[in-house]
């Protein structure tokens, strides 16, 4: 603690007392910008007009570590020397390259090497040394001219929002340490509202079309004047007309409307009104706007645009010019959403461009028009196909630390793609993965109480065929052409060999997907068939599974031979555009029906089949829902929320005994892979993965002869047996459930840049899982409306994200705030302990060994 305080004091001193080396004569540092007096216009909109940002501070205190690092780096940086080195390097390159003009290969290698060196020196000359660029931040100096300019921009913004009589001013406060606080004082005064809106349209046909859509107009009587609404109305009219044949129409024919506040009528002195005149002019020298129709339509498909076509085909007025290419013109023609003599519509042009791109068969597509004299647009669509064959390989080592020993394990991934396999724009994909590695064993060494290393071999093979249309014997399949339809048929095999077990699985899927808009996506898996078979279980592992089964965990059933068939329908809507900082949300709902076709048979027939074949069967419903909402607080700060829920209801299952599991039951046991779990990097992060719940029951149980909490013979928790781990529940076993509820909130923000963006996060997780049916050997594990809200576990913590743009590495540390299971009988004293509010038991001195340890979660990407 003393060391922490000493470090904090040092940072405060070094950050708050910036030396005169970095402060030039008569210069002041910009400390903060504030906006005051505005009521109708949000602060964020006005703050966005201020490009000058103060140096980053900690907790809004005058502590700027990045500024101090910049100063430390600047003391050791000689910009003139770096510039001289840069000039010498450029001169050296010019001298050497002049002697290599006759050797292009040698010159190319030289250029690449010198380019790297020159770019590094140029960046150093412009931005400073490594400390200044990576950890530092240049000082933000105050300029009075900038502040006056910002105030003028704010006044223009207020004017554009209808505050014609608004006033802005700047007040400057000088603080200690040569720091400046800039206050922008806003006086909005009374805004102006729209009264009469008069449309003056010279073309009668345009006039009729526009007036038919005035109900959609953004200019409405009684609303406050807004320059943004006027601009968006011009865009709306342009889009409207260009979707009705007016190819040459642009918003330039709609000049800024005339506004007259002198005629404004104001029955209420608190409001002022103005009249607006909107004009749509004709082209110079013409009485009407010309209407265009589509002319000839040519589609050129060639890998080399300079080669002449080798085949010409025509379908429904679309002429295909193919060069050494065989493809389904019927399918491609269905993605072209306009025909000769049809009215020009910009919407059809954009949708056609999108449809051709989503076929994933072309590197790029381009649509060009040639305006003929008779108002016909000759169309040329150019499409360059991708390479027919594509091969990808990846190999490396997975390094695992087991019992303080490092064990490397090789892996290899192979991928192969064939485009336009049968000439129908299909895509064939095949992949193979293999790995051999050492991982922590399930069991621990009894003498050292540490996990043992185990070798693992994993092999998998997958093949799939994707059709760019709905493959189904029905005429309705053609109604999805605008929605990027796809049919995917895939088969996969997976083999896992561990000392504890050997297991294989075979999967087959037929799935449809369609996307009516960029935000909305539908998926329907008509058949999702999985066959799992376990060939071997070791003796200790068999006993482990039996212990789990006695604790209420059905993992043992997943090692029986089983056949799981299901139909899955999923809908998702995503309005959140990553990286744009806009408010958005994400919604996904899924319904899975397992064993649906088994309803054609009676229970006795299914039981007989399982007994004869040794294959377990089950029937279930599994709906899930996931909703996320994102609120941008600042350009690099976001508040994210998520609600996640799920339910699995099993209405038939038969588990046939085999020689290893020794379990034979008929009841309501769902496949283990379909059950719901809580805890882990994408759930309640203060609990280990799959270790939360169910309900308020204990992670493991043991029988107490006498208990003040429950009658004699009741169950209680088992604690970790390793020395030094005080009062920690034993989370050795996974805890599946039938019902899941989760609420998550996370504040994300950028901390600094160090090779990549380093982001921080503060999160709060609430949730749990429950069973649908009561288990007489446990207490509080089933879902009940009158108490489920008291059994919601709460966890909090902080996170670190390393953002490399193309992927994000995430590390979260969570601690428990409320644990509904920690009301128990102390096994050593027999006393009742109520530790459900467990946050006070967290200790920095016992991060891993205390009763409320820090739980670390590693992940890729954001948790939601």
């Amino acid at each position: 603690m003393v060391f922490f305080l000493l470090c904090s004091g040092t940072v405060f001193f070094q950050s708050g007392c910036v030396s005169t080396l970095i402060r030039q004569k008569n210069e002041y540092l910009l400390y903060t910008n504030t906006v005051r007096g505005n009521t109708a216009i949000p602060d964020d909109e006005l703050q966005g007009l201020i490009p000058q940002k103060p140096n980053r501070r900690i907790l809004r205190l005058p502590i700027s570590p990045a500024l101090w690092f910049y100063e430390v780096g600047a003391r050791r940086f000689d910009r003139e020397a770096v510039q001289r080195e840069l000039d010498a390097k450029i001169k050296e390159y010019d001298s050497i390259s002049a002697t290599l003009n006759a050797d292009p290969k040698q010159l190319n290698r030289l250029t690449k090497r010198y380019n790297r060196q020159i770019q590094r020196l140029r960046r150093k000359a412009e931005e400073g040394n490594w400390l200044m660029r990576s950890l530092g931040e240049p000082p933000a100096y105050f300029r009075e001219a900038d502040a006056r300019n910002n105030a003028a921009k704010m006044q223009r913004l207020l004017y554009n929002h209808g505050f014609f009589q608004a006033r802005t001013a700047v007040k400057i406060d000088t603080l200690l340490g040569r720091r400046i606080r800039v206050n922008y004082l806003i006086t909005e005064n009374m805004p102006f509202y729209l009264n009469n809106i008069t449309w003056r349209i010279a073309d009668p046909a345009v006039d009729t079309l526009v007036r038919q859509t005035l109900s959609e107009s953004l200019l409405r009587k009684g609303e406050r004047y807004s320059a943004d609404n006027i601009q968006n109305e011009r865009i709306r009219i342009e889009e409207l007309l260009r979707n009705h044949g007016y190819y040459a129409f642009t918003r330039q024919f709609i000049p800024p409307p005339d506004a007259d506040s002198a005629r404004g009528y104001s029955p209420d002195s608190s409001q002022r009104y103005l009249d607006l005149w909107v004009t749509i002019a004709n082209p110079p020298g013409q009485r009407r706007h010309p209407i265009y129709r589509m002319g000839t339509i040519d589609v050129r498909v060639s890998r080399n645009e300079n080669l002449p076509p080798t085949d010409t085909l025509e379908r429904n007025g679309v002429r295909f010019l193919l060069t050494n290419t065989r493809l389904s013109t019927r399918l491609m023609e269905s993605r072209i959403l306009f025909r000769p003599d049809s009215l020009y519509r910009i919407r059809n042009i954009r949708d056609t461009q999108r449809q051709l791109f989503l076929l994933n068969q072309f590197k790029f597509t381009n649509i060009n028009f040639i305006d003929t004299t008779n108002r016909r647009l000759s169309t040329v669509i150019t499409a360059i196909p991708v390479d027919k064959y594509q091969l990808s390989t990846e190999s490396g080592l997975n390094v695992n630390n087991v019992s303080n020993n490092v064990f490397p394990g090789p892996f290899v991934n192979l991928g192969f793609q064939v485009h336009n396999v049968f000439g129908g724009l299909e895509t064939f994909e095949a992949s193979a993965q293999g790995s051999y590695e050492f991982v922590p064993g399930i069991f621990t060494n009894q003498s050292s109480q540490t996990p043992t290393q185990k070798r693992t071999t994993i092999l998998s093979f997958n093949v799939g065929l994707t059709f760019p249309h709905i493959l189904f014997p029905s005429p309705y399949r053609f109604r999805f052409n605008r929605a990027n339809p796809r049919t995917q048929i895939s088969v996969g095999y997976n083999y896992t060999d561990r000392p504890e077990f050997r297991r294989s699985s075979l999967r087959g899927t037929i799935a449809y997907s369609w996307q009516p808009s960029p935000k909305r996506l539908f998926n329907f898996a008509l058949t999702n068939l999985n066959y799992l078979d376990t060939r071997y279980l070791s003796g200790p592992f068999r006993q482990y599974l039996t212990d789990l089964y006695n604790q209420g965990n059905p993992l043992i059933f997943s090692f029986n031979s089983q056949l799981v068939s299901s139909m899955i329908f999923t809908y998702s809507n995503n309005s959140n555009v990553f990286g744009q900082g806009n408010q958005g949300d994400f919604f996904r709902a899924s319904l899975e029906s397992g064993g649906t076709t088994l309803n054609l048979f009676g229970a006795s027939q299914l039981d007989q089949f399982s007994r004869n074949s040794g294959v377990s069967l089950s029937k279930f419903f599994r709906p899930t829902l996931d909703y996320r909402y994102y609120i941008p607080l600042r350009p690099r700060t976001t508040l994210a929320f998520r609600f996640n829920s799920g339910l699995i209801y099993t209405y038939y299952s038969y588990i046939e005994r085999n020689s290893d599991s020794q379990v034979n039951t008929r009841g309501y046991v769902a496949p283990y892979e379909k059950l719901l779990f809580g805890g882990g990097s994408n759930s309640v992060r203060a609990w280990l993965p799959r270790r939360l719940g169910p309900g308020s029951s204990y992670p493991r149980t043991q029988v107490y002869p006498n208990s003040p909490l429950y009658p004699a013979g009741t169950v209680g928790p088992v604690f970790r047996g390793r020395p030094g781990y005080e009062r920690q529940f034993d989370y050795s076993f996974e805890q599946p459930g039938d019902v899941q509820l989760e609420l998550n909130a996370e504040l994300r923000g950028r901390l600094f840049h160090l090779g990549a963006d380093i982001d921080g996060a503060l999160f709060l997780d609430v949730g749990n899982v429950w069973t649908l049916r009561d288990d007489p050997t446990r207490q509080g594990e089933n879902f009940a409306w009158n108490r489920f809200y008291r059994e919601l576990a709460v966890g909090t913590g902080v996170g670190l994200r390393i953002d490399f743009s193309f992927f994000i590495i995430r590390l979260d540390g969570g601690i428990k705030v409320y644990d509904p299971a920690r009301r128990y009988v102390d096994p050593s004293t027999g006393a009742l302990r109520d530790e459900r509010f467990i946050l006070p038991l967290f200790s920095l001195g016992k991060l891993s060994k205390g009763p409320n340890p820090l739980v670390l979660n590693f992940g890729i990407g954001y948790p939601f």
Side-chain angles (χ1 to χ4, degrees):
M1 183 60 69
V2 174
F3 177 75
F4 174 77
L5 294 175
L6 181 61
C7 292
S8 300
T10 302
V11 171
F12 178 84
F13 175 78
Q14 293 173 337
S15 303
C17 303
V18 183
S19 77
T20 55
L21 175 65
I22 201 171
R23 298 185 189 173
Q24 303 173 8
K25 186 177 180 181
N26 295 327
E27 295 283 4
Y28 289 82
L29 290 175
L30 178 62
Y31 183 71
T32 185
N33 296 307
T34 63
V35 179
R36 300 177 181 178
N38 55 303
T39 57
I41 306 301
D43 289 350
D44 291 344
E45 197 167 347
L46 294 168
Q47 288 276 4
L49 299 175
I50 307 174
Q52 301 83 22
K53 305 300 180 184
N55 293 110
R56 296 193 303 270
R57 295 177 284 134
I58 297 178
L59 299 176
R60 295 186 175 272
L61 298 173
I63 305 174
S64 301
L67 184 58
W68 178 79
F69 280 120
Y70 186 90
E71 179 191 6
V72 173
R75 290 174 179 173
R76 299 170 175 82
F77 179 64
D78 187 344
R79 193 178 303 274
E80 294 180 357
V82 176
Q83 185 64 46
R84 289 194 298 269
E85 185 180 357
L86 173 62
D87 296 338
K89 185 63 66 175
I90 295 176
K91 185 177 181 180
E92 179 183 346
Y93 167 72
D94 293 339
S95 176
I96 299 177
S97 61
T99 63
L100 298 175
N101 291 330
D103 190 349
K105 292 184 178 180
Q106 186 71 12
L107 179 61
N108 186 42
R109 287 194 294 268
L110 178 76
T111 301
K112 289 182 179 180
R113 184 173 77 252
Y114 271 85
N115 277 346
R116 289 193 297 267
Q117 299 174 5
I118 291 172
Q119 288 176 4
R120 184 169 61 250
L121 287 172
R122 182 174 287 119
R123 184 185 179 192
K124 187 176 181 180
E126 294 173 355
E127 303 178 16
N129 55 31
W130 178 87
L131 192 61
M132 298 166 66
R133 296 193 311 267
S134 300
L135 299 181
E137 182 181 59
Y141 290 119
F142 166 73
R143 299 285 185 268
E144 186 174 357
D146 293 336
R148 303 296 177 190
N149 185 43
N150 295 334
K153 289 189 293 184
M154 291 180 184
Q155 184 153 350
R156 288 194 295 269
L157 175 69
L158 292 166
Y159 185 94
N160 290 336
H161 280 281
F163 295 91
F164 297 158
Q165 299 175 341
R167 296 291 179 267
T168 60
V170 177
K171 180 185 176 184
I172 300 172
D173 296 334
T174 304
L175 308 177
L176 294 176
R178 297 181 65 84
R179 290 181 170 90
I180 292 293
R181 178 171 58 220
V182 183
N183 305 289
Y184 295 92
L185 307 181
I186 308 297
T187 304
E188 293 176 342
N189 290 323
M190 287 181 290
F192 281 75
Y193 293 84
L194 299 180
N195 186 29
N196 295 317
I197 304 172
T198 304
W199 293 84
R200 300 182 297 197
I201 306 175
D203 188 330
V206 173
D207 182 79
T208 301
L209 185 59
V210 170
R211 292 185 186 279
Q212 288 175 349
T213 63
L214 285 183
S215 60
E216 304 172 8
S217 174
L218 301 176
L219 304 178
R220 300 176 185 273
K221 182 177 180 178
E223 292 190 354
R224 193 178 70 204
Y225 174 90
S226 171
D228 291 340
N229 285 346
I230 291 176
Q231 178 64 13
N232 291 333
E233 179 67 5
R234 297 173 67 201
I235 296 173
R236 185 191 74 84
I237 294 175
E238 179 187 51
E239 190 81 6
L240 170 69
L241 296 179
R242 299 196 73 185
N243 274 318
H244 286 80
Y246 295 92
Y247 166 74
F249 186 89
T250 68
R251 72 194 72 165
Q252 304 304 321
F253 292 105
I254 313 174
D258 297 327
D260 186 359
S261 60
R263 301 183 185 183
Y265 170 72
S266 176
D268 185 353
S269 62
S270 65
Q271 292 183 341
R272 297 188 178 185
Y273 293 88
L274 57 84
D275 295 334
L276 206 64
W277 285 267
V278 184
T279 301
I280 301 180
N282 282 339
Q286 300 185 31
R287 299 178 59 184
R288 294 176 180 272
H289 284 274
I291 296 178
Y292 289 78
R293 292 186 175 274
M294 307 305 295
T296 59
I297 302 175
D298 291 342
V299 180
R300 297 177 180 176
V301 182
S302 174
R303 288 184 172 85
N304 189 338
E305 298 182 28
N306 298 321
L307 295 178
T310 58
D311 195 6
T312 301
L313 301 171
E314 185 170 344
R315 180 182 292 274
N316 293 333
V318 180
R319 186 172 61 171
F320 291 87
L321 308 175
L322 310 179
T323 303
N324 300 323
T325 302
R326 182 174 62 92
L327 54 78
S328 172
T329 57
R330 178 178 181 275
L331 179 61
M332 195 168 178
E333 175 264 332
S334 68
R335 300 301 176 93
I336 299 174
L337 306 178
F338 49 88
R339 293 294 178 270
D341 203 41
S342 64
L343 201 64
Y344 170 84
R345 300 184 189 275
I346 186 64
R347 179 179 62 251
N348 289 341
I349 307 302
R350 292 171 180 167
D351 288 348
T352 297
Q353 184 94 28
R354 177 173 172 266
Q355 290 293 323
L356 296 178
F357 170 76
L358 292 176
L359 287 172
N360 291 330
Q361 298 288 333
F362 304 105
K363 294 179 180 178
F364 75 90
T365 58
N366 190 26
I367 302 178
N368 292 316
F369 300 101
I370 301 175
D371 182 8
T372 61
T373 56
N374 58 350
R375 307 301 183 194
R376 289 290 190 271
L377 297 174
S378 297
T379 308
V380 178
I381 302 176
T382 303
I384 298 181
V386 298
D387 295 335
K388 187 175 182 63
Y389 302 101
Q390 292 181 343
L391 178 66
S392 62
T393 61
E394 180 186 13
S395 61
L397 292 176
N398 287 320
V399 180
N400 293 310
N401 191 323
V402 182
S403 303
N404 296 323
N405 294 315
V406 175
F407 294 93
F411 70 88
V412 61
N413 299 325
L414 302 175
F416 179 66
Q417 281 188 342
V418 184
H419 295 282
N420 196 25
V421 185
F422 309 117
L425 303 177
E426 310 89 350
T427 301
F428 172 80
E429 296 181 83
S431 63
Q433 298 85 31
S435 65
Y436 182 89
E437 56 186 298
F438 287 88
V439 298
I442 296 176
F443 310 106
T444 58
N445 187 300
Q446 296 299 321
S447 60
S448 62
Q449 291 293 317
T450 57
T452 57
Q453 63 271 14
K454 298 290 184 180
R455 61 156 183 83
T456 298
T457 302
I458 300 177
L459 300 173
S460 63
F461 306 93
N462 296 275
V463 294
L465 191 59
T466 301
F467 300 87
H469 57 90
I470 298 297
L471 195 65
F472 195 78
S474 169
Y476 292 101
R477 67 184 186 273
F478 299 112
R479 296 188 178 182
F480 294 87
N481 283 344
R482 277 182 175 265
N484 186 31
R486 292 179 181 276
T487 301
Q488 295 175 310
I489 302 174
S490 62
V491 177
Y493 174 78
N494 181 271
Y495 173 77
T496 302
D497 182 6
R498 290 180 57 118
E500 297 91 357
F501 63 86
R502 286 193 294 272
R503 192 184 190 200
S504 60
S505 65
L506 182 64
R507 183 191 72 257
T509 303
I510 300 177
Y512 304 110
S513 66
W514 60 98
Q515 191 175 8
S517 71
K519 296 180 181 180
R520 296 186 297 141
L521 176 65
F522 294 87
N523 284 280
F524 176 57
L526 178 65
T527 301
N528 188 9
L529 190 65
N530 286 270
Y531 175 72
L532 298 97
D533 185 31
T534 302
R535 301 297 180 88
Y536 166 76
L537 288 176
S538 67
F541 186 59
R542 186 188 307 122
Q543 184 60 47
Y544 172 79
L545 295 176
T546 303
D547 292 341
L548 282 178
Y549 179 71
N550 294 333
Q551 302 292 335
N553 187 310
L555 177 60
I556 191 172
F557 297 143
S558 67
F559 287 90
N560 285 62
S561 297
Q562 54 183 304
L563 182 66
V564 181
S565 64
S566 61
M567 302 171 64
I568 309 173
F569 179 81
T570 303
Y571 166 74
S572 61
N573 189 315
N574 186 9
S575 67
N576 180 55
V577 181
F578 180 77
Q580 291 192 1
N582 298 326
Q583 185 169 305
D585 62 356
F586 171 83
F587 174 81
R588 180 174 58 202
S590 175
L591 176 62
E592 180 175 4
S593 176
T596 307
T597 55
L598 300 181
N599 290 319
L600 301 174
F601 306 94
S604 59
Q605 294 175 290
L606 298 177
D607 294 349
Q608 184 65 34
F609 171 81
S610 291
R611 283 192 293 268
N612 294 338
S613 64
V615 177
S616 302
L617 302 173
S618 60
K619 295 188 286 187
F620 58 88
F621 285 110
R622 190 177 186 269
T624 61
L625 188 148
D626 186 356
Y627 178 72
R628 309 170 189 183
Y629 190 66
Y630 305 92
I631 303 175
L633 302 180
R634 292 183 178 181
R636 294 181 178 269
T637 304
T638 302
L639 186 59
F641 298 93
R642 181 181 69 165
F643 171 73
N644 184 40
S645 64
L647 169 71
I648 181 166
Y649 174 74
T650 307
Y651 58 96
Y652 170 84
S653 65
Y654 189 92
I655 311 299
E656 177 63 21
R657 179 180 66 225
N658 61 33
S659 59
D660 291 319
S661 66
Q662 300 298 317
V663 174
N664 186 342
T665 181
R666 174 181 174 183
Y668 304 99
V669 181
Y672 193 79
E673 292 79 4
K674 302 295 182 180
L675 292 173
L676 303 168
F677 296 87
S681 61
N682 296 318
S683 180
V684 183
R685 284 162 277 186
W687 271 259
L688 295 171
R690 297 191 166 204
R691 299 312 198 264
L692 174 59
S696 58
S697 63
Y698 306 118
R700 285 184 67 184
T701 58
Q702 67 182 14
V703 177
Y704 291 121
N706 295 291
S707 168
L709 182 59
Y710 297 109
T714 190
V715 295
V718 169
F719 295 84
R720 295 188 63 175
R722 294 178 62 185
Y725 288 82
E726 302 173 1
R727 293 161 45 205
Q728 283 191 20
F729 278 5
D730 188 351
Y731 288 101
S732 299
F733 297 158
E734 295 180 352
Q735 304 295 333
D738 304 315
V739 181
Q740 182 182 39
L741 288 175
E742 286 183 0
L743 292 167
N744 310 87
E746 182 171 285
L747 179 64
R748 304 165 181 166
R750 183 176 183 267
L751 299 178
F752 54 89
H753 185 84
L754 184 61
D757 283 343
I758 309 299
D759 302 335
L762 177 66
F763 60 83
L764 179 70
D765 302 325
V766 180
N768 210 333
V769 296
W770 295 265
T771 62
L772 280 177
R773 296 174 176 87
D774 191 13
D775 184 351
T777 65
R778 309 183 78 174
Q779 285 147 349
E781 84 293 344
N782 63 312
F783 183 86
W785 289 103
N786 61 346
R787 58 175 169 82
F788 82 94
Y789 55 89
R790 298 195 301 267
E791 297 173 343
L792 291 170
V794 181
T796 187
V798 295
L800 194 66
R801 288 92 167 90
I802 305 176
D803 188 353
F804 292 98
S805 298
F806 50 94
F807 76 99
I808 296 173
I809 299 176
R810 171 166 52 92
L811 180 65
D812 290 325
I815 58 174
K816 300 175 180 65
V817 176
Y818 181 82
D819 184 353
R822 290 193 73 96
R823 188 166 180 257
Y824 63 96
V825 175
D826 192 321
S828 60
T829 64
L832 172 64
R833 286 185 176 273
D834 189 346
E835 298 175 345
R836 285 175 291 184
F837 183 62
I838 194 176
L839 182 61
L841 298 182
F842 173 74
S843 173
L844 290 173
K846 296 182 178 180
L847 285 179
S848 62
K849 296 186 177 182
N852 188 4
L854 180 70
V855 177
L856 296 178
N857 291 282
F858 175 81
I860 301 296
Y862 288 110
F864 53 89

